Amino acid sequence: MLATTRPDFVVALGRHRQMAGIAHDLLDQGYPFLMEKPMGINASEVEALAAKAARLDAFVAVPLAQRYAPFAKCARELLDAGRFGPLSHIYVRINRPGPARYQAWDCPWMLNPAEAGGGCLRNLGSHGLDMFLYLTGEPAEVTGAHEPARA
């Protein structure tokens, strides 16, 4: 499809176990793209993609849309105007249906770690981290991580 259509930009979706391969193909062929997260089923897959994208100076985006919600925009404006004191804590709540939704939506693979990776934290937790970074304006650095052993 890519060779035939030669798009200017790609929106890439798929099962998380497929995402890293798709992303590598897009990077190898020089396509800028937006891909749903997580872009792999473990940290090493995603780390390799990030390193490759940086090495190639490629455009790769993840849709972290919570920062464009009215609350976030208003909070950012209030922070910029100095109407809050120093921001020391943040509470992020994302109201989503429970895991049963995946069965109802005919995508039970989302409940399989081999297909979907790390569950709700990896799937939705990035929105909370992004909101923190957006509102504080501070950089983040990963100083430790734990990846459970796979059975």
Side-chain angles (χ1 to χ4, degrees):
M1 180 181 76
L2 294 173
T4 303
T5 61
R6 301 291 309 157
D8 295 325
F9 188 81
V10 175
V11 175
L13 305 170
R15 291 186 183 205
H16 303 300
R17 72 170 165 78
Q18 301 167 317
M19 301 268 231
I22 294 168
H24 280 290
D25 288 344
L26 293 168
L27 287 167
D28 291 342
Q29 295 179 52
Y31 286 103
F33 66 94
L34 174 138
M35 181 176 274
E36 186 56 68
K37 50 53 189 142
M39 287 187 199
I41 59 169
N42 58 51
S44 59
E45 281 188 354
V46 177
E47 225 170 39
L49 285 170
K52 186 176 202 175
R55 186 173 65 254
L56 296 173
D57 195 25
F59 181 89
V60 176
V62 174
L64 296 168
Q66 298 292 322
R67 65 170 52 201
Y68 301 105
F71 163 80
K73 289 169 48 174
C74 180
R76 182 73 260 163
E77 289 169 6
L78 291 170
L79 284 163
D80 290 344
R83 296 192 49 206
F84 282 152
L87 186 61
S88 63
H89 295 76
I90 185 169
Y91 175 83
V92 176
R93 182 175 180 163
I94 299 173
N95 293 319
R96 302 289 303 152
R101 75 182 186 264
Y102 296 120
Q103 295 286 351
W105 295 347
D106 196 29
C107 53
W109 64 268
M110 282 292 292
L111 301 174
N112 179 346
E115 294 285 323
C120 66
L121 183 58
R122 189 169 284 164
N123 190 22
L124 297 174
S126 56
H127 292 291
L129 178 60
D130 181 63
M131 183 66 70
F132 173 80
L133 298 173
Y134 176 67
L135 293 178
T136 64
E138 296 178 7
E141 180 180 339
V142 176
T143 58
H146 170 74
E147 186 156 338
R150 301 274 177 196

